[in-house]
Amino acid sequence: MGTMNGLTVTECRRCEALCESRSQIVNGGGPADAKLLFVGEAPGANEDEQGEPFVGRSGDVLDETLRDVGLDRDDVRITNCVRCRPPENRDPHEQELANCRSYLETEIERVDPELVVTLGKVPGEHLLERDVAVTSEAGDVADVTVDGSPQPVMLCVHPAATLYDPSQEETFRSTLEQAAEFTDDESGQRRLGDF
Ligand code: URA
């Protein structure tokens, strides 16, 4: 029903509707040992065409804001809750999120990032398994259990929110700043712990 080689899903027919709407499976991109792993909702038209997550307008906002806070897109890993484009960019259905969850969990386990950052309501609610008010909770960190281990997850608004509502720009930027600081602190603690 689905084959994953390392971090790459090469074949999958778990969702009938998405098999129809996708032109390809969009896997995560970026270093396999990244300290930061961003998780979006699902590929859109540009991602479906190019086979990479966050390459359209949302991706431009993400790239620019990463640069603003001193991070480079090439240093972070970016993936989605669902790897195939839903028809007309609708939200993925619960069953589709559930079908794709094992791929996301495997990616989190193998990358073993210091922090996962969820981009938008759908990935926040999917990983925390509760309702999330993403604007007011942006920057909050919760431990989520993935394969028996605690994984820190920071909630963040979706980059596209800044395109519709400019007041979200500051929320988005300051959350990414907190994410950068979190990984700096974690690495420092780990280095100190080695002595
Ligand atoms: N929005 C998402 O949630 N994911 C993408 O890959 C692109 C836009």
Side-chain angles (χ1 to χ4, degrees), residues 98-119:
N99 289 347
C100 218
R101 190 171 181 109
S102 67
Y103 300 138
L104 177 61
E105 289 195 357
T106 301
E107 188 164 18
I108 294 173
E109 271 164 52
R110 293 189 181 160
V111 174
D112 191 22
E114 288 172 9
L115 184 66
V116 166
V117 179
T118 52
L119 298 173

Side-chain angles (χ1 to χ4, degrees), residues 151-167:
Q151 170 62 56
V153 176
M154 182 179 281
L155 295 168
C156 184
V157 296
H158 195 281
T162 68
L163 300 170
Y164 308 120
D165 174 4
S167 74

